[in-house]
Amino acid sequence: MSANSMTDPRRPNKIFRYKPPSTDSNPTLEDPTPDYMNLLGMIFSMCGLMLKLKWCAWIAVYCSFISFANSRSSEDTKQMMSSFMLSISAVVMSYLQNPQPMSPPW
Amino acid sequence: MRSCLLLLPALLLLLTLPDTRGRYNDDFDDGEDLAEFDDNDFAEFEDVNEDPTVEVESEPPPKPAPSSIPVEDDEDEATVEIEDGQDEFEDADAQDQDMYSKYDKDEFEGYEKTNSPFKDTLIYQDVPAHLQNSWESYYMEILMVTGLLAYIMNYIIGKNKNSRLAQAWFNSHRELLESNFALVGDDGTSKEATSTGKLNQENEHIYNLWCSGRVCCEGMLIQLKFLKRQDLLNVLARMMRPTCDQVVGQIKVTLNDEDMDTFVFAVGSRKAMSRLQKEMQDLSEFCGDKPKSGAKYSLPDSLSILSEMAEVSDGVMDSKMVHYITNHADKIESIHFSDQFSGPKVMQEEGQPLKLPETKKTLLFTFNVPGMGNTSPKDMDSLVPLMNMVIYSIDKVKKLRLNREGKLKADRNRARVEENFLKQTHAQRQEAAQTRREEKKRAEKERIMNEEDPERQRRLEEAAQRREQKKLEKKQMKMKQIKVKAM
């Protein structure tokens, strides 16, 4: 079954090193969520900043959080942090310019 | 001393009186108003003398409201000031203290602390929300922040759960793996090929483990694909559509021809089989028929088989395999053996000549972790027998050999597939060759043009012409030969 007590199946001389599967060969297997969320977050935070819409800024914060939660460990933390900071600054700027609380759409 | 004390307030009063009058004048800047009140300053105000406090009271409330009645307000102001001034002037002695307290009453024009509950026909404007200074008006913001906190909490909890599950899996499988592989755990970065004995964390929900150093195979990459418990959106989506964790083990067999004979085979749940047949390059090419039921081997109905030929199925499905599969049918998503494995079908780009995709001899196993999402670390123990099956399969595949007929069939299949592929890409390859030839010609012409020396230019041109002539002659010869043969 697994390892015969007689013969050890292990072969130390046949060791191959781990090669991370290249992402070029199978782009379909990659999860696009963190990239989309990153982009959405940036778009929303720019909208929030330019058009002074508070709800845009809040959605941007959420997007950057979701992007962070889904990100791969090999991804650049700088990009994550930059989108995060951008969304936070969008929220802060919207409130500084207009301290009124957000009114619900209903 | 007393005279000094008397003098001070008097001075102050003198200061205030002109101020009020000045204000009075400022307030009534319009010429007509001044004319009215010029003769008798107090004539107008004698009427309203009775209730000076009423006018006073009406001052503070309309202050935030837009001042639509400035003239009247100022009148009242003036009234109050002068009246007060007169009062205090009379009772200077008695109201020493008051005067000191009303020292800067100039700053409080028209605002007296007299209490009068007179409130009819007064419009109270709502104070705008951001001036209200209460947290309740910010309830949307509080909601948002609460949502964010909930997301963060879920992230931490989900991450920890996934990590615990991965560790539990590894602990229960460690012994088996270490007895079979010389290298258990490698991230590819260290110089020496030593076992790290740890899982590689690719994501918060994907863990990898590379094992190598065994007979019959190059290595085994095990991927633990957990559910995205760290993402709240995913958690909510899963409540609608339950899915389960997966353990995907991909074993790459050595390229040595002896280790695996040429066949393509897959068995698994019906859904998975139909999906794989559409997606996988090799399954779609070699296993053209629809997935067959495994009743012949007394497999449960939920499973179906995709095979290149019947002999392969017979060879793979020996009693032990059948035993394994039947016992753990609910956990098996798919088992895929192939010597022509090249991954899922790649979308072909327009205008690009296709090369036959690289194939590797591979055994692929996908198992579902029991529990349907609500797995606990204990469930990982139930996957150990499946890993035993994997090891058994590796050894078995090495021993499995097709007989002569089967081999012939398999070779023919492969040749057929290659031919099809070449035919499909024939047109594209021709185009590519044509463009290459044109490029060459153009490059040569340019070289000739760029030659400065006219002599050399002429010589190169002649050489090019001669080459063209030769080619034409060759073609003509070929055509003649073909014609002769045809005849």
Side-chain angles (χ1 to χ4, degrees):
Chain A
M1 230 173 64
S2 47
N4 297 337
S5 44
M6 297 294 145
T7 53
D8 189 5
R10 289 178 287 181
R11 296 286 180 273
N13 56 336
K14 276 179 129 193
I15 287 181
F16 288 85
R17 293 305 301 276
Y18 172 60
K19 259 179 296 175
S22 67
T23 46
D24 292 340
S25 54
N26 35 14
T28 47
L29 293 179
E30 262 188 53
D31 182 22
T33 309
D35 301 322
Y36 280 152
M37 282 294 147
N38 217 357
L39 184 66
L40 263 181
M42 288 211 238
I43 292 175
F44 272 118
S45 54
M46 293 314 287
C47 278
L49 270 173
M50 303 292 175
L51 307 174
K52 301 193 185 139
L53 298 169
K54 292 199 179 78
W55 56 269
C56 270
W58 279 110
I59 293 178
V61 174
Y62 270 98
C63 282
S64 75
F65 264 96
I66 295 172
S67 167
F68 170 72
N70 284 307
S71 66
R72 298 168 270 277
S73 60
S74 56
E75 258 188 47
D76 210 0
T77 49
K78 275 184 278 184
Q79 174 124 17
M80 269 328 121
M81 292 307 291
S82 79
S83 91
F84 189 63
M85 289 296 147
L86 185 63
S87 55
I88 297 274
S89 73
V91 170
V92 168
M93 288 306 293
S94 313
Y95 278 94
L96 278 178
Q97 289 164 353
N98 182 10
Q100 269 193 3
M102 212 162 48
S103 56
W106 52 85
Chain B
M1 275 301 284
R2 268 187 85 82
S3 56
C4 283
L5 286 169
L6 276 173
L7 268 175
L8 254 169
L11 268 171
L12 285 167
L13 276 169
L14 279 172
L15 279 170
T16 56
L17 278 174
D19 272 356
T20 55
R21 217 172 274 130
R23 224 176 295 117
Y24 185 95
N25 283 337
D26 287 342
D27 294 336
F28 298 96
D29 246 354
D30 324 352
E32 32 186 37
D33 286 343
L34 268 171
E36 252 182 280
F37 303 116
D38 236 354
D39 287 341
N40 188 0
D41 285 15
F42 308 123
E44 287 293 310
F45 309 129
E46 269 168 38
D47 293 337
V48 289
N49 258 356
E50 303 137 24
D51 296 345
T53 51
V54 179
E55 274 98 25
V56 170
E57 264 310 300
S58 65
E59 255 304 304
K63 222 181 186 177
S67 51
S68 48
I69 38 169
V71 174
E72 283 176 330
D73 285 353
D74 297 330
E75 274 185 27
D76 300 335
E77 263 180 44
T79 313
V80 171
E81 289 304 319
I82 291 165
E83 291 228 338
D84 279 352
Q86 284 185 333
D87 285 341
E88 279 155 19
F89 203 63
E90 289 166 6
D91 310 338
D93 287 338
Q95 296 181 5
D96 269 356
Q97 310 298 319
D98 295 323
M99 267 190 276
Y100 281 121
S101 67
K102 290 179 186 157
Y103 171 60
D104 37 54
K105 71 174 172 58
D106 296 345
E107 292 176 65
F108 304 111
E109 297 182 47
Y111 175 64
E112 279 292 16
K113 293 176 208 83
T114 51
N115 37 352
S116 164
F118 221 98
K119 280 181 191 164
D120 64 68
T121 68
L122 289 172
I123 305 164
Y124 284 99
Q125 289 281 351
D126 281 330
V127 180
H130 66 280
L131 298 173
Q132 268 176 20
N133 235 9
S134 77
W135 291 111
E136 289 163 357
S137 53
Y138 285 92
Y139 67 94
M140 283 293 285
E141 280 76 10
I142 292 174
L143 263 172
M144 290 289 195
V145 172
T146 318
L148 275 176
L149 284 173
Y151 193 89
I152 294 173
M153 291 292 296
N154 174 263
Y155 174 79
I156 294 173
I157 293 173
K159 185 169 93 131
N160 283 339
K161 172 118 198 237
N162 277 348
S163 155
R164 264 183 300 133
L165 284 174
Q167 209 48 50
W169 179 92
F170 189 53
N171 288 338
S172 49
H173 287 77
R174 183 198 288 263
E175 210 185 297
L176 175 63
L177 290 171
E178 279 181 352
S179 63
N180 271 291
F181 291 94
L183 175 74
V184 173
D186 182 24
D187 56 5
T189 53
S190 55
K191 276 195 189 160
E192 293 274 319
T194 46
S195 297
T196 60
K198 274 191 299 177
L199 296 162
N200 279 353
Q201 186 175 2
E202 195 182 296
N203 234 332
E204 301 300 342
H205 64 283
I206 297 184
Y207 291 81
N208 286 340
L209 183 71
W210 172 253
C211 306
S212 183
R214 192 185 194 278
V215 291
C216 317
C217 75
E218 191 181 296
M220 176 162 76
L221 178 66
I222 303 176
Q223 209 176 44
L224 301 171
K225 277 195 189 156
F226 292 123
L227 301 165
K228 281 191 186 173
R229 291 189 177 83
Q230 79 273 13
D231 182 15
L232 188 60
L233 285 184
N234 226 287
V235 169
L236 296 172
R238 254 189 306 125
M239 290 186 188
M240 314 285 170
R241 200 170 32 105
T243 42
C244 47
D245 300 320
Q246 282 190 337
V247 176
V248 179
Q250 186 176 23
I251 305 174
K252 289 202 196 90
V253 184
T254 32
L255 302 168
N256 198 342
D257 280 331
E258 288 176 0
D259 281 351
M260 182 173 173
D261 210 352
T262 52
F263 64 88
V264 175
F265 174 81
V267 63
S269 70
R270 285 180 185 279
K271 252 202 218 170
M273 284 296 107
S274 45
R275 186 175 42 89
L276 282 179
Q277 193 177 29
K278 283 187 216 127
E279 277 179 19
M280 290 294 172
Q281 180 90 13
D282 52 349
L283 284 177
S284 61
E285 281 173 0
F286 291 95
C287 308
D289 305 330
K290 278 198 297 199
K292 294 191 199 88
S293 119
K296 185 175 165 193
Y297 311 101
S298 51
L299 291 179
D301 274 338
S302 56
L303 300 176
S304 56
I305 297 178
L306 271 175
S307 165
E308 197 178 347
M309 46 188 134
E311 192 201 332
V312 170
S313 312
D314 290 333
V316 173
M317 288 284 146
D318 63 350
S319 54
K320 212 159 186 184
M321 270 307 256
V322 170
H323 175 79
Y324 270 125
I325 293 177
T326 327
N327 282 352
H328 305 281
D330 55 333
K331 299 191 202 87
I332 295 176
E333 167 94 359
S334 71
I335 298 175
H336 179 187
F337 301 164
S338 169
D339 74 312
Q340 299 277 320
F341 181 73
S342 58
K345 280 191 192 169
V346 179
M347 283 290 112
Q348 300 156 6
E349 288 170 13
E350 291 289 344
Q352 272 219 349
L354 282 177
K355 273 183 281 185
L356 206 57
E358 250 184 65
T359 59
K360 283 194 137 175
K361 296 180 190 249
T362 317
L363 311 179
L364 263 169
F365 298 83
T366 307
F367 302 131
N368 294 331
V369 178
M372 207 63 179
N374 293 329
T375 36
S376 70
K378 284 180 291 210
D379 292 327
M380 294 302 174
D381 289 333
S382 56
L383 293 172
V384 178
L386 288 169
M387 195 52 66
N388 280 327
M389 181 179 75
V390 168
I391 306 286
Y392 173 73
S393 308
I394 301 176
D395 292 326
K396 184 187 171 49
V397 157
K398 180 171 168 90
K399 286 185 243 145
L400 182 65
R401 289 283 174 265
L402 299 169
N403 62 13
R404 211 153 49 116
E405 268 184 43
K407 195 87 174 80
L408 277 172
K409 252 198 203 171
D411 288 337
R412 251 186 288 144
N413 278 342
R414 274 145 193 74
R416 174 181 47 88
V417 166
E418 208 178 314
E419 218 185 292
N420 282 344
F421 174 79
L422 287 174
K423 268 198 209 155
Q424 274 177 2
T425 57
H426 181 69
Q428 279 169 321
R429 273 183 299 122
Q430 259 201 339
E431 261 189 61
Q434 182 79 354
T435 44
R436 255 181 284 137
R437 257 180 275 143
E438 281 179 14
E439 278 289 327
K440 258 198 211 164
K441 271 197 194 160
R442 228 183 299 145
E444 258 209 61
K445 279 202 181 137
E446 272 212 43
R447 210 164 28 100
I448 294 173
M449 301 296 267
N450 290 341
E451 276 297 332
E452 292 182 351
D453 194 359
E455 272 281 329
R456 285 186 78 176
Q457 222 182 25
R458 226 185 317 133
R459 249 183 286 154
L460 282 165
E461 268 191 49
E462 278 174 13
Q465 264 188 332
R466 253 179 279 146
R467 252 177 278 150
E468 287 262 356
Q469 275 274 329
K470 270 191 189 163
K471 270 193 194 159
L472 272 168
E473 275 172 22
K474 261 192 191 167
K475 260 191 182 169
Q476 281 173 349
M477 286 281 287
K478 263 190 183 169
M479 293 302 285
K480 275 193 193 157
Q481 276 181 351
I482 289 170
K483 275 189 187 158
V484 166
K485 272 190 184 164
M487 286 204 297

